[in-house]
Amino acid sequence: MKLPLIAVLAVVLAAPVVTVPTYADAQVRVGSGARRDPPRRVSPPAPRLTEAEEDRLWDAQAEVNNLDTQIAAVNALAAAAGGATPEQQATLADLTTRRTAEQAVIDRLQAKLNR
């Protein structure tokens, strides 16, 4: 009885270890070699506005709102008087020029923010 037990024990210890690869092992083995697809290029993060640029954007938006209010007031005065006086026309031209400049600042900073 001892002899067959020793023989079985010797065969079990001498046999090579056999493992069955799992699905996860196959994925690791495939991924460890050269890749078939080129690596994806990661786009750089969108540029953020600096604190000074954010402050400038807020100030420009507030100034545009203020100028719009002033332009509307001058237009209302001109409409009530039946037409704009030369002083009102000069004021409107000045306000419109300032508004255009502030809107350009807003557009530039918004474009940088949305890239």
Side-chain angles (χ1 to χ4, degrees):
M1 180 74 176
K2 282 186 176 182
L3 190 55
L5 186 60
I6 293 174
V8 169
L9 187 59
V11 169
V12 169
L13 292 176
V17 177
V18 178
T19 60
V20 177
T22 62
Y23 181 69
D25 290 338
Q27 285 181 340
V28 171
R29 288 189 186 118
V30 169
S32 65
R35 294 182 59 153
R36 290 185 200 163
D37 299 331
R40 291 187 213 169
R41 302 248 186 247
V42 177
S43 61
R48 297 284 179 197
L49 296 178
T50 63
E51 191 171 325
E53 288 173 329
E54 285 181 9
D55 291 342
R56 181 66 181 118
L57 178 61
W58 287 107
D59 292 344
Q61 289 172 339
E63 185 65 21
V64 165
N65 289 335
N66 184 22
L67 291 171
D68 284 342
T69 303
Q70 291 178 15
I71 289 170
V74 171
N75 282 334
L77 287 174
T85 64
E87 291 175 353
Q88 290 173 333
Q89 290 175 351
T91 303
L92 281 174
D94 179 50
L95 292 173
T96 305
T97 303
R98 288 175 41 202
R99 187 194 184 289
T100 303
E102 292 296 325
Q103 187 63 45
V105 170
I106 292 172
D107 293 342
R108 180 181 56 84
L109 292 174
Q110 285 289 345
K112 181 179 179 182
L113 185 62
N114 293 332
R115 273 194 276 169

